[in-house]
Amino acid sequence: MTDALPHPGPSGLAALLRHAVGDPDTAWSLGSFGAVAEFMRDPGETVRLGERDAGGAMVLEARTARGGLRIRLDPALRPFAFETAAGTGWSQSVALCLPAGACAMAGRRVVTELGPDSDAIDPKDREAILFDLGLDLPQTDACVRSADPRVIERIRAGAGLPMFDPDSPLRDAWPALSPERIFVCRFGRIEVSQPIPPPDGRSPEGPHTHVLPRLLAARRTHAATAPIPEGWTPCLHLFPPHPLKDPTGRPIPFDAARHAAFQTLLEHWGDPSLTAFKRDIRGRLDRGEPPAAESELDRFQRMTVRATLRQVAAMGASAPRLAEWSARFDRPEPGPDAAPSDH
């Protein structure tokens, strides 16, 4: 049975997305478990922002020299806000979800030429040739794009084979080719224009992509740590400004306003049972009550406790038995499910 997600109404969702697209401290990701494209921009970076109507639906865009983002206000889209414990801190995001039966994309299984990218964000890119990588992702078409005849010829040589086929001439060629990456879902796309680093290199700051074959093999739509309600599929995530780090992950002093802003999002668009549970845990900490029995909590409740403990510590709030609660519950959680390798 599909769990209900609250409908924010067209104006509420439009306000959320319009603010987030215009905020340089908000980051974005689009993809599936094991393959994602990420878009972010620096506060002083030149950006072209756009808003238009397309068949009665609001379309928002942001384009920089390093990448781009497009979102269409789909009436079936629902935002879902949640926190997870990650590393020694916590993450916060809003998943933009569709019903599981309404999110499927092409599902191609081999590298496939699609022709000119007529939906490119920048008109100058609409004659470049688009290729589906054939990853057969549940809610995403992962593609590459190029206007370079030499790159197009090399990719065409691998068309008709799976991307990771041992006999594919493309298997180890991607860093040298470095086509633009174009990840698309039912209501949005992220474009990444930065080069692909070599296997022993690091992701560039700003827009980039990750493709992890081991995680792709799990055929999941999202990480098991994300409490996405049953029957819904996250297609695109926005990451509002974090209280302890900038979009690149660099630490900053605790920002109480950022923390309060995301708690408001949780109250509006989070899991009502988890937000109520979090309020209860915070009250028990404030009152100096002893820790709860871990065996009585489910996975997402334990995650909520850990995130709450770390937030209380970061705020420097008074909690007489914080150390006792932390000793029982607060074991470091992994961040990403594995160290990412770029594509």
Side-chain angles (χ1 to χ4, degrees), residues 261-281:
F262 191 77
Q263 300 314 298
T264 299
L265 289 179
L266 277 181
E267 291 289 341
H268 283 302
W269 295 319
D271 182 319
S273 64
L274 283 179
T275 53
F277 175 74
K278 182 175 184 178
R279 287 193 299 271
D280 178 63
I281 292 299

Side-chain angles (χ1 to χ4, degrees), residues 8-23 26 28 49-51 58-62 69-74 77-79 94-96 187 236-238 265 269:
S11 60
L13 183 55
L16 170 70
L17 297 179
R18 186 180 289 115
H19 173 78
V21 171
D23 181 6
T26 295
W28 304 80
L49 299 173
E51 179 176 338
M58 182 185 76
V59 176
L60 296 166
E61 295 178 340
L69 167 74
R70 174 188 289 147
I71 304 172
R72 176 176 54 84
L73 188 59
D74 189 308
L77 189 158
R78 299 290 187 276
V94 179
L96 301 178
F187 57 85
L236 193 153
H237 289 77
L238 66 94
L265 289 179
W269 295 319

